[in-house]
Amino acid sequence: MAPVSGSLPEARTAYLLKQLELALRARLDAAVRPHGLTVVQYTALTELSRDPGISAAELARRSFVSAQTMQELIARLEQQGLVQRVPAEHNKRVLETTLTERGERTLHASDHEVDEIEQDMLSDFDTEAVEALRQALRSCTKRVRKGA
């Protein structure tokens, strides 16, 4: 779309997504901080809740951090009593990470506030539009990953 004479060109979609990411990250950080969490820790707890015992490498990928950073993060969460690591039944050298009861309570308390942020963010959309947006974002992510 050509800009109207004297007006600024439209912002790129990638730029708009980055603006959303930064604004959302700030709100999420403020929401989980009172629960003693960072956004990355919250993400890790969420993924552990969805998939208990997930490998640290997969947890790192899903939490958008390096494997080394995830190892440090898991150690910190374990010190806080939010997760526990136990040897896997199939291989005692492999440690499976799961939420503790305290971790589940902390996640649940944080989820309430994160839900409010998400509801506020999507309040201008009906259910069908939200699902269409979610599908469009999944599709965009898939295509961008394919090109990498």
Side-chain angles (χ1 to χ4, degrees):
M1 169 186 270
V4 177
S5 179
S7 69
L8 295 174
E10 277 193 49
R12 291 186 176 275
T13 303
Y15 178 76
L16 295 172
L17 287 169
K18 186 64 177 180
Q19 283 185 312
L20 173 59
E21 176 196 5
L22 293 173
L24 185 56
R25 176 77 184 243
R27 294 261 321 258
L28 290 173
D29 185 51
V32 300
R33 189 180 310 119
H35 302 283
L37 299 174
T38 65
V39 173
V40 175
Q41 289 172 323
Y42 171 79
T43 302
L45 293 179
T46 299
E47 289 302 316
L48 285 169
S49 175
R50 290 178 50 208
D51 196 357
I54 185 176
S55 73
E58 181 61 23
L59 185 57
R61 281 188 286 278
R62 292 184 190 181
S63 300
F64 314 108
V65 297
S66 69
Q68 180 180 352
T69 298
M70 182 52 63
Q71 289 297 340
E72 294 168 4
L73 188 130
I74 290 171
R76 177 78 175 123
L77 291 172
E78 190 173 32
Q79 289 171 350
Q80 291 175 281
L82 301 174
V83 302
Q84 60 188 359
R85 293 187 277 191
V86 296
E89 287 184 27
H90 67 280
N91 183 345
K92 300 299 181 196
R93 294 183 307 186
V94 174
L95 295 176
E96 292 184 340
T97 306
T98 58
L99 295 178
T100 61
E101 285 184 30
R102 181 177 181 193
E104 289 176 10
R105 285 192 309 271
T106 300
L107 179 60
H108 180 71
S110 300
D111 276 343
H112 176 71
E113 294 178 47
V114 172
D115 287 345
E116 287 180 0
I117 292 168
E118 192 164 305
Q119 288 170 4
D120 182 42
M121 177 180 72
L122 299 170
S123 64
D124 291 335
F125 303 100
D126 63 23
T127 304
E128 289 157 3
V130 169
E131 189 49 43
L133 173 63
R134 291 170 61 91
Q135 187 55 43
L137 291 171
R138 283 187 204 100
S139 178
C140 289
T141 300
K142 184 177 177 181
R143 285 197 163 278
V144 169
R145 283 187 178 146
K146 243 170 80 175

